[in-house]
């Protein structure tokens, strides 16, 4: 019913920047919150940043001041601008969205994940 397609991951040196994108498509009536999670090897998946349909944002303490989440509601797309990247930011990054198919029915959806590696 719904697909979330991510792009923008890759290998970057410490201090560098990357921009992740995630586009939602399919049976969409409305998208509520959208966000980014990450999972490093041997660790649990954690919230990185989220943004409501009204533009209110939330960040993990570890990324505040370095990462910026934004969205384009016309394109059903959420972005994550990552600056001043550190080796500890290395992880698979997953897009998440709460999507309504009708006024009353919907659910949470995940992207396939994109690898971000920060290394010299």
């Amino acid at each position: 019913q719904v697909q979330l397609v991510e792009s923008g991951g890759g290998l970057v040196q410490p201090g560098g920047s990357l921009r992740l994108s995630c586009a939602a498509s399919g049976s969409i009536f409305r998208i509520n919150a959208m966000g980014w999670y990450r999972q490093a090897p041997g660790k649990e998946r954690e919230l990185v940043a989220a943004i409501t349909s009204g533009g209110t944002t939330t960040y993990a303490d570890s990324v505040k001041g370095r990462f910026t989440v934004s969205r384009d509601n016309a394109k059903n797309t959420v972005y994550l601008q990552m600056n001043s990247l550190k080796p500890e930011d290395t992880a698979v990054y997953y897009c998440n969205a709460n999507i309504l198919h009708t006024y009353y029915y919907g659910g949470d959806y995940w992207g396939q994940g994109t690898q971000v590696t920060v290394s010299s």
Side-chain angles (χ1 to χ4, degrees), residues 45-84:
R45 190 173 296 189
E46 63 175 357
L47 174 68
V48 176
I51 183 168
T52 68
S53 58
T56 300
T57 57
T58 300
Y59 295 94
D61 287 343
S62 59
V63 307
K64 284 180 181 177
R66 300 188 298 121
F67 290 10
T68 302
V69 62
S70 60
R71 63 191 283 173
D72 184 333
N73 290 329
K75 296 181 178 180
N76 292 334
T77 299
V78 63
Y79 305 96
L80 185 68
Q81 178 65 44
M82 304 184 293
N83 298 328
S84 302

Side-chain angles (χ1 to χ4, degrees), residues 10 13 21 26-27 36 40 48 53-54 80 83 85 88 92 110 114 116:
Q13 292 186 342
S21 300
S27 177
W36 293 92
V48 176
S53 58
L80 185 68
N83 298 328
L85 282 160
E88 51 264 43
V92 178
W110 293 89
T114 186
V116 171

Side-chain angles (χ1 to χ4, degrees), residues 96-116:
N96 172 268
N98 181 266
I99 297 175
L100 293 178
H101 308 299
T102 69
Y103 191 84
Y104 298 105
Y105 174 73
D108 274 347
Y109 293 88
W110 293 89
Q112 79 281 4
T114 186
Q115 177 71 45
V116 171

